[in-house]
Amino acid sequence: QLDQLFVVRLDSGKQYPALYKSSIEMTPQQAVIESQLNILRAEIETGEFKPFQPGLYPLLLKANITWARCMSQVRIYYANRFGSFSISILEQQSLALSELYEKLRNQLNQLKNLYLAEYDSIEGAGAVEIMIDALDKWHTAFLGVKKINESDRWREDGYLLRTSIIPSMNNIKKGFDKLDDLMRKSELMASQAEEETNKYLLAIIVMIIALFLLFIFTIFLSLEFMVFRPI
């Protein structure tokens, strides 16, 4: 179990599974969204495309700002995950991010409708469609990240410590405690046996001394009746 813990702690992806999921599922979608936003902005700012719809470019900038706020909210979410043990804070941050997601999706839908009314944009509605798809995948991946981050396995090493290593250490300690109890009981039994043996030996010595005295007394009586009185 300790070997497994070392393997987990030497690999940040295994130690923080939510970060790993974020890097392989969210990051690619972020790159897609940012590249498409840059393409659409550059198309207008370089003069390649002059929209007829007056609200198109301001809406594109608003969508760009909303996306930047989404990124900031994700960073705040991770900061709270690593800096706080309160799930309620994480729930508030994830709710704020979901609201930004809904706002950005509405803006992209409006952009799509505006681009569909334009004929000169080369990228246009197709780029917005790509962004909407990437945004949905990004948010779905975030929900998976959120589920991991708000579970007891957001740190795999901590989960291993709580569920495997510490219980095993406690079991080992209990085993040593039982051995210690057995040794104390054995020592007590040996002490009692030694005490009983000492009592038994003392009784034998007393009996030997009593027999010896009885033997001496018998000799004296024998001498008294068989020797001294006849003399």
Side-chain angles (χ1 to χ4, degrees):
Q1 289 170 348
L2 286 173
D3 288 339
Q4 186 180 359
L5 178 67
F6 295 146
V7 169
V8 167
R9 284 193 166 172
L10 289 172
D11 187 337
S12 60
K14 292 179 179 178
Q15 187 174 8
Y16 301 102
L19 281 180
Y20 178 72
K21 184 177 179 66
S22 173
S23 66
I24 64 171
E25 295 184 20
M26 293 178 68
T27 302
Q29 305 306 325
Q30 291 171 197
V32 170
I33 295 170
E34 288 169 5
S35 66
Q36 296 303 314
L37 283 171
N38 290 335
I39 288 170
L40 292 178
R41 281 205 328 270
E43 186 183 42
I44 297 174
E45 291 168 359
T46 57
E48 294 179 11
F49 165 60
K50 295 181 179 179
F52 293 105
Q53 307 288 337
L56 191 149
Y57 185 60
L59 184 59
L60 180 60
L61 294 180
K62 288 179 181 178
N64 197 91
I65 292 171
T66 305
W67 172 244
R69 289 180 63 193
C70 286
M71 291 294 93
S72 298
Q73 194 65 39
V74 168
R75 295 187 186 98
I76 293 171
Y77 178 84
Y78 277 118
N80 284 326
R81 172 68 280 183
F82 292 109
S84 172
F85 295 100
S86 174
I87 299 298
S88 61
I89 294 177
L90 296 179
E91 290 174 347
Q92 293 172 8
Q93 297 298 331
S94 62
L95 180 61
L97 183 58
S98 294
E99 291 174 353
L100 287 172
Y101 157 74
E102 292 294 340
K103 181 179 179 180
L104 179 58
R105 206 178 189 291
N106 290 332
Q107 289 173 340
L108 291 178
N109 282 326
Q110 292 175 30
L111 269 177
K112 179 183 175 182
N113 292 331
L114 290 175
Y115 269 107
L116 287 173
E118 298 283 347
Y119 297 99
D120 295 336
S121 174
I122 298 173
E123 306 294 338
V128 178
E129 276 287 350
I130 293 172
M131 279 193 288
I132 291 173
D133 180 65
L135 181 63
D136 289 340
K137 291 178 180 177
W138 178 83
H139 187 254
T140 300
F142 172 76
L143 293 178
V145 168
K146 174 180 179 293
K147 184 176 180 180
I148 296 172
N149 271 332
E150 295 177 13
S151 71
D152 60 349
R153 299 191 70 163
W154 74 278
R155 278 191 63 159
E156 189 66 19
D157 56 341
Y159 177 79
L160 286 173
L161 282 169
R162 289 191 305 275
T163 60
S164 300
I165 294 173
I166 292 176
S168 295
M169 291 172 64
N170 290 335
N171 289 334
I172 293 170
K173 183 179 181 300
K174 288 177 182 177
F176 277 117
D177 289 341
K178 287 181 180 179
L179 282 176
D180 193 39
D181 290 339
L182 287 172
M183 290 176 67
R184 280 199 295 268
K185 289 178 181 178
S186 297
E187 184 180 359
L188 180 61
M189 290 173 64
S191 177
Q192 291 173 347
E194 183 181 2
E195 187 177 349
E196 291 295 328
T197 302
N198 290 336
K199 289 180 180 179
Y200 179 70
L201 290 174
L202 180 62
I204 291 175
I205 291 172
V206 169
M207 288 177 63
I208 291 172
I209 292 173
L211 289 172
F212 180 74
L213 292 175
L214 180 62
F215 178 70
I216 296 296
F217 182 68
T218 303
I219 290 175
F220 277 122
L221 286 178
S222 298
L223 288 174
E224 175 68 20
F225 288 101
M226 297 176 64
V227 178
F228 295 126
R229 286 193 178 186
I231 290 175

